[in-house]
Amino acid sequence: MQSEQSRPELFNRFVDTFTEASHPEFMAMSGGEALLRPALVKNLALKARASGTKSSVLSGLFFARKPGIPKSIKSAIDAVDHFSVSMDAFHEREVPRSNVFTVLNQLLDEGKHLSLHIAGEREDDPYLDDLVNLVQKRFGKRIPMLVNTLSPFGRAKTFFIQTASPSTTTVEASPCTMAAWPVVGFDGVVAACGNDNLIGRVPSHLRLGDIRIHSWADIRSRCVDNAMQIALRTYGPEYLQTKFGSQGKTGCKGYCDTCINLDAQDAIQVGVSSQMLKPGARILGDSVVDLQLELGAVGFAKRYSHPRFAELVLLGA
Ligand code: SF4
């Protein structure tokens, strides 16, 4: 309850810069626990809709320990286009599964579009099959599910040790699809992606702006046109480090950690800028995006969540 919390005006001001001509297709609100600020969630969702942006909110359903959905929270859920619920062993220690199912049932009956974000400790965690099977038994095919496993990120980085992947002898291009997903932090700084390790310390090459001063149009144009963002979406960070970094492949310290540390090297900024000025660079970048779009939602889920459960993202309406 002592976490950072910015004033609502900060977020309202930014959503007020969405226009019918220029707005994000989708605005996802998460926390922490976004529904601790239900009036803000409702307000932002309604403002966003006025310009054509759909919205969603992700919650751990802290309020479901008691029967019924509190009025202010229900009003926020009603205001968004999509409602997502986090379920994992840790949430279930606080909020019983049966209470979560009661809320899901009520919202489905009202016609709400829902999804579940499910996390297990590891790929073969029996919790995952148990919960996925139970959700399908109870709700049929009505709820899409995104299933993931724990990784050490953000404020929870030290809670969990992950074995490093073996290093490869050659580094091939591995485009980062996430570098197309502007994320507003609690402090108003907009990062190029949702990597939680960036919260509160976004390096300059991944910083798209600040919602105190920038509009959605500013953020969008930086995301779309900035050479480093295009290069990350086309080649991925390890390829850029190997090709342009002063330390070459030895500077690769894991996919995202390599990306975060690209900032410290002037050679990379210069190399990336001149590479992306070449005539074929934009065409190559666009082709990479087209290939990823062809793979669709399941292709995306196979890469960024538990691949065995990837098809579950297509359930629901
Ligand atoms: S590679 Fe960079 S842009 Fe992509 S998710 Fe990791 S930190 Fe973000």
Side-chain angles (χ1 to χ4, degrees):
M1 297 302 284
Q2 279 76 44
S3 290
E4 313 85 350
Q5 181 164 293
S6 291
R7 292 185 313 133
E9 295 77 35
L10 180 70
F11 305 102
N12 285 324
R13 181 211 161 270
F14 183 58
V15 176
D16 280 339
T17 70
F18 298 1
T19 63
E20 281 186 30
S22 176
H23 57 263
E25 284 182 44
F26 207 86
M27 177 180 76
M29 292 174 275
S30 66
E33 173 53 68
L35 285 181
L36 286 174
R37 306 182 76 179
L40 178 58
V41 168
K42 177 181 176 182
N43 218 358
L44 294 175
L46 297 179
K47 277 176 183 287
R49 183 173 297 141
S51 61
T53 297
K54 290 190 173 173
S55 64
S56 74
V57 66
L58 174 65
S59 171
L61 296 201
F62 66 96
F63 53 86
R65 280 187 282 198
K66 295 181 187 161
I69 305 176
K71 205 171 155 195
S72 59
I73 290 179
K74 180 66 169 52
S75 196
I77 295 171
D78 288 344
V80 294
D81 296 280
H82 186 92
F83 184 50
S84 299
V85 175
S86 285
M87 288 192 79
D88 50 58
F90 309 99
H91 280 93
E92 289 204 42
R93 275 188 218 150
E94 311 291 335
V95 187
R97 184 179 292 188
S98 57
N99 295 28
V100 172
F101 281 7
T102 302
V103 172
L104 295 178
N105 210 29
Q106 176 188 338
L107 295 173
L108 277 177
D109 284 350
E110 292 175 9
K112 194 83 203 165
H113 287 231
L114 304 178
S115 61
L116 287 177
H117 287 206
I118 296 173
E121 287 198 38
R122 29 171 224 287
E123 293 229 333
D124 60 352
D125 188 344
Y127 173 85
L128 296 175
D129 284 287
D130 173 57
L131 181 57
V132 165
N133 291 336
L134 200 62
V135 170
Q136 291 191 292
K137 198 168 159 197
R138 176 84 186 258
F139 301 106
K141 297 184 174 179
R142 298 167 77 195
I143 305 184
M145 290 173 259
L146 182 72
V147 179
N148 237 313
T149 48
L150 295 184
S151 299
F153 273 105
R155 285 178 286 198
K157 196 166 184 174
T158 55
F159 291 7
F160 180 75
I161 307 296
Q162 195 170 46
T163 323
S165 331
S167 71
T168 49
T169 47
T170 53
V171 174
E172 295 184 349
S174 176
C176 176
T177 314
M178 294 294 183
W181 194 322
V183 173
V184 180
F186 68 89
D187 53 0
V189 174
V190 187
C193 69
N195 184 328
D196 282 348
N197 287 341
L198 298 178
I199 293 174
R201 55 188 184 106
V202 185
S204 63
H205 65 300
L206 295 177
R207 187 180 170 118
L208 297 182
D210 187 320
I211 61 171
R212 285 174 193 83
I213 48 174
H214 294 120
S215 66
W216 163 252
D218 298 330
I219 300 296
R220 185 186 182 282
S221 89
R222 287 168 191 213
C223 178
V224 172
D225 297 325
N226 177 278
M228 181 58 88
Q229 311 310 315
I230 301 171
L232 286 169
R233 291 193 291 267
T234 308
Y235 304 104
E238 293 178 311
Y239 184 85
L240 297 179
Q241 165 60 43
T242 305
K243 192 161 168 62
F244 303 112
S246 48
Q247 298 172 318
K249 181 178 171 291
T250 52
C252 294
K253 310 284 182 208
Y255 195 79
C256 285
D257 284 342
T258 300
C259 182
I260 291 168
N261 289 313
L262 291 177
D263 183 43
Q265 303 171 55
D266 287 345
I268 291 198
Q269 306 277 358
V270 173
V272 166
S273 296
S274 69
Q275 172 78 10
M276 300 321 286
L277 282 174
K278 291 183 180 169
R282 193 70 189 224
I283 296 169
L284 182 62
D286 290 347
S287 303
V288 169
V289 172
D290 288 345
L291 284 170
Q292 288 168 338
L293 289 172
E294 265 175 42
L295 292 173
V298 172
F300 180 84
K302 275 189 180 157
R303 184 168 178 205
Y304 290 106
S305 67
H306 194 317
R308 189 159 64 81
F309 297 97
E311 304 276 346
L312 299 177
V313 298
L314 295 184
L315 298 179

